[in-house]
């Protein structure tokens, strides 16, 4: 129960953070979750909370939502759901934290990786890629925000429209994990708390977005994410005895 309460509070803070800045909160949350729950449950539980967080953020900012590019994004997301929903069946879910850690390091520090994924500026392709990444690593990163920023100057439009798009991504992810038989009911208490906190965080963040600036976050966020990523990777290597196997080679 203590773990559940701590995760719910973390969800409140990260949901509010994303509602203010548009990015960062979901990645911090999924970086924390493997320390509080089984690895196989991280992505599906994260999917529920992030769907609620993004859907509520889009609702609270609905007057700023622009649907011009949304339908193209939705089409691509459906394609990603089909393709990556099949591929996930061949992955050992206990390794998901390793994928998350590597992905966080790449998107935080690799210019080449970011340049590669940012070449995909068609919204249907962005939807496809983000849904695919979401299925495997939970949080697909701010690719849609980067593309939206090229089309809209208003930050409120970018954040609210981006939230609607990410709600689609996380809903698609839930469909995948339902299809592979994940038992969401086993985590109903945690899910209820996190849904409430995600919604509250979205409401608080939407209100604060007009009043406070979070530019300082861009400075410290990479280092927070890096520490989380390294801890995730080391944890998986220890769990599977990779270090011991390497030592035996020498």
């Amino acid at each position: 129960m203590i773990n559940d309460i701590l995760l719910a509070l973390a969800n409140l803070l990260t949901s509010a953070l994303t509602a203010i800045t548009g990015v960062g909160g979901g990645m911090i949350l999924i970086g924390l979750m493997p320390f509080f729950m089984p690895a196989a449950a991280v992505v599906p539980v994260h999917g529920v909370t992030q769907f609620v967080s993004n859907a509520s953020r889009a609702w609270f900012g609905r007057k700023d939502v622009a649907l011009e590019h949304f339908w193209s994004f939705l089409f691509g997301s459906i394609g990603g759901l089909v393709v990556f929903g099949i591929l996930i069946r061949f992955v050992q879910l206990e390794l998901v934290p390793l994928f998350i850690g590597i992905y966080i390091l790449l998107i935080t520090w690799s210019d080449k990786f970011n340049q590669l994924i940012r070449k995909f500026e068609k919204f249907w392709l962005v939807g496809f890629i983000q849904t695919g990444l979401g299925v495997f690593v939970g949080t697909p990163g701010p690719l849609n925000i980067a593309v939206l920023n090229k089309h809209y100057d208003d930050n409120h439009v970018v954040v609210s429209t981006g939230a609607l798009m990410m709600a689609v991504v996380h809903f698609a992810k839930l469909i995948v994990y339902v299809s592979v038989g994940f038992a969401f009911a086993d985590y109903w208490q945690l899910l209820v708390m996190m849904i409430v906190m995600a919604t509250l965080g979205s409401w608080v963040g939407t209100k604060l977005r007009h009043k406070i600036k979070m530019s300082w976050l861009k400075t410290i966020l990479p280092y927070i994410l890096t520490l989380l990523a390294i801890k995730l990777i080391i944890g998986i290597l220890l769990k599977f005895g990779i270090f011991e196997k390497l030592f035996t080679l020498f």
Side-chain angles (χ1 to χ4, degrees), residues 8-19:
L9 291 174
N11 198 26
L12 169 66
L13 295 175
T14 55
S15 182
L17 175 64
T18 308

Side-chain angles (χ1 to χ4, degrees), residues 3-241:
N3 283 352
D4 290 354
I5 292 172
L6 290 175
L7 272 178
L9 291 174
N11 198 26
L12 169 66
L13 295 175
T14 55
S15 182
L17 175 64
T18 308
I20 295 171
T21 64
V23 296
M27 197 167 290
I28 292 175
L29 181 64
I30 203 166
L32 291 171
M33 289 176 71
F35 305 122
F36 296 92
M37 63 192 311
V42 169
V43 173
V45 171
H46 182 267
V48 173
T49 63
Q50 291 304 290
F51 168 70
V52 173
S53 179
N54 282 279
S56 59
R57 186 160 63 253
W59 174 255
F60 292 135
R62 60 190 179 277
K63 66 180 179 64
D64 296 312
V65 170
L67 295 177
E68 181 181 1
H69 302 288
F70 172 75
W71 304 112
S72 177
F73 183 93
L74 176 62
F75 175 77
S77 184
I78 293 173
L81 163 65
V82 174
V83 173
F84 291 94
I86 294 172
L87 294 177
I88 194 65
R89 300 169 188 272
F90 302 97
V91 175
Q92 186 176 350
L93 295 182
E94 291 296 322
L95 292 174
V96 164
L98 177 63
F99 302 150
I100 293 171
I102 292 172
Y103 178 73
I104 288 175
L105 290 178
L106 285 173
I107 203 169
T108 302
W109 297 111
S110 174
D111 290 336
K112 290 184 178 180
F113 182 76
N114 279 282
Q115 289 169 6
L116 174 64
I117 64 174
R118 285 176 181 169
K119 288 181 179 179
F120 306 114
E121 295 189 354
K122 298 293 185 181
F123 278 95
W124 68 267
L125 191 54
V126 172
F128 181 86
I129 293 171
Q130 287 198 289
T131 299
L133 289 173
V135 168
F136 281 96
V137 300
T139 177
L143 177 58
N144 66 323
I145 296 294
V147 178
L148 284 169
N149 273 320
K150 295 182 179 182
H151 290 267
Y152 303 103
D153 295 326
D154 190 329
N155 184 56
H156 303 303
V157 172
V158 171
V159 171
S160 298
T161 305
L164 181 60
M165 290 178 172
M166 292 311 299
V168 170
V169 168
H170 290 295
F171 187 74
K173 184 169 66 179
L174 296 181
I175 293 175
V176 170
Y177 279 89
V178 167
S179 71
V180 299
F182 180 77
F184 285 94
D186 291 348
Y187 297 89
W188 72 268
Q189 290 177 306
L190 172 62
L191 288 172
V192 168
M193 285 192 288
M194 295 191 77
I195 285 171
V196 171
M197 291 300 185
T199 306
L200 179 59
S202 292
W203 180 79
V204 171
T206 301
K207 296 295 183 182
L208 292 178
R209 191 191 311 147
H210 300 267
K211 299 179 180 180
I212 64 174
K213 302 294 183 182
M214 297 285 286
S215 56
W216 56 269
L217 178 65
K218 294 181 179 179
T219 302
I220 66 170
L221 183 60
Y223 301 100
I224 295 173
L225 292 173
T226 298
L227 290 174
L228 291 173
I230 291 173
K231 193 164 179 60
L232 287 176
I233 293 170
I234 291 176
I236 286 295
L237 295 179
L238 288 173
K239 181 175 181 179
F240 285 86

